[in-house]
Amino acid sequence: MEQAAIPVRRSEAKILVVDDRADNLMSIEAILEKDNYTIVKANSGRAALKVLLADHDFSLILMDVQMPELNGYETATIIYERDKLRSIPIVFITANNYDEDFMFRGYRMGGVDYIYKPINPELLRAKVAVFVELYSKNQQLMLQEKKLLAANEFLQKEIEERNASEERVRHLNEQLVANNESLKQMNEEL
């Protein structure tokens, strides 16, 4: 019985918010609580990595760029070294200006977008909704791919079994023809 892919509802989407300032974490949580996302907060890059070691089922990561010890870019690089985490989009949050070199660095580290401080609540909600939906669609595609690969493997085995059966039938037919010839010769001799 095949199960249909079920899109992630907003209430099922988990978002990891990473910022070294508690007030920023609280404000992002307050903005997104209207949409019923599950928000998990981390106050540093290291804390985010610890969270992701235990749980990789996030639809999105919102990460501040400027943090002590591990900044957002370094944290993103470490996150994307793990295969299980590569499909989680990271949106960087920054107070820096729109410097293209700065932005390019974030995109090169695996980020998918930027949100600038001070945060526009409606823009944040809109971007989060888009990336949660994209993540959901990506998960559905990966599930479909797994199903197709399994079906392909099953069909390949079926083909191999059918070819083996045809070869056995061909061999039995050859034996029957040989037996018929042998019986024909015996009948003629009799």
Side-chain angles (χ1 to χ4, degrees):
M1 178 173 16
E2 190 173 317
Q3 288 183 321
I6 300 170
V8 175
R9 294 191 316 262
R10 282 187 177 188
S11 61
E12 295 172 352
K14 269 193 337 198
I15 299 170
L16 177 60
V17 181
V18 186
D19 199 308
D20 58 317
R21 292 186 49 182
D23 58 332
N24 289 339
L25 290 171
M26 286 188 335
S27 67
I28 291 171
E29 183 178 33
I31 292 167
L32 296 177
E33 73 183 352
K34 296 175 187 175
D35 297 313
N36 296 320
Y37 298 117
T38 300
I39 305 294
V40 177
K41 297 179 280 187
N43 61 3
S44 69
R46 289 195 194 290
L49 294 172
K50 285 180 184 177
V51 167
L52 290 166
L53 278 175
D55 185 4
H56 59 273
D57 189 27
F58 288 93
S59 300
L60 178 66
I61 299 172
L62 297 172
M63 185 161 17
D64 186 27
V65 175
Q66 299 297 324
M67 294 185 289
E69 292 183 41
L70 274 179
N71 69 37
Y73 294 152
E74 294 164 337
T75 305
T77 300
I78 295 168
I79 288 169
Y80 284 152
E81 287 175 355
R82 295 187 54 123
D83 287 337
K84 288 182 178 179
L85 304 176
R86 278 199 186 119
S87 65
I88 304 172
I90 296 175
V91 174
F92 290 114
I93 300 173
T94 184
N96 280 357
N97 62 6
Y98 296 84
D99 178 24
E100 287 185 5
D101 291 335
F102 178 82
M103 290 173 60
F104 178 69
R105 183 174 178 209
Y107 291 129
R108 197 174 59 234
M109 297 296 165
V112 296
D113 202 359
Y114 278 90
I115 294 176
Y116 295 92
K117 295 177 185 175
I119 294 174
N120 175 329
E122 291 309 310
L123 181 62
L124 174 65
R125 290 180 67 222
K127 284 188 177 193
V128 167
V130 166
F131 285 113
V132 165
E133 183 68 21
L134 285 173
Y135 178 81
S136 173
K137 297 292 184 197
N138 189 34
Q139 293 303 106
Q140 290 175 24
L141 285 173
M142 290 185 340
L143 182 63
Q144 286 300 102
E145 180 184 28
K146 285 180 184 176
K147 287 180 181 179
L148 287 172
L149 289 172
N152 189 34
E153 190 176 312
F154 175 77
L155 289 173
Q156 191 64 36
K157 286 180 182 176
E158 284 280 319
I159 290 169
E160 289 171 8
E161 288 175 12
R162 184 170 291 166
N163 287 342
S165 293
E166 287 175 1
E167 185 59 37
R168 284 192 297 273
V169 166
R170 204 174 0 264
H171 181 69
L172 289 172
N173 280 339
E174 289 171 3
Q175 283 182 332
L176 280 174
V177 168
N179 287 345
N180 280 343
E181 284 298 317
S182 176
L183 287 172
K184 200 186 238 182
Q185 283 180 349
M186 285 183 188
N187 276 341
E188 288 175 5
E189 289 173 8
L190 286 175

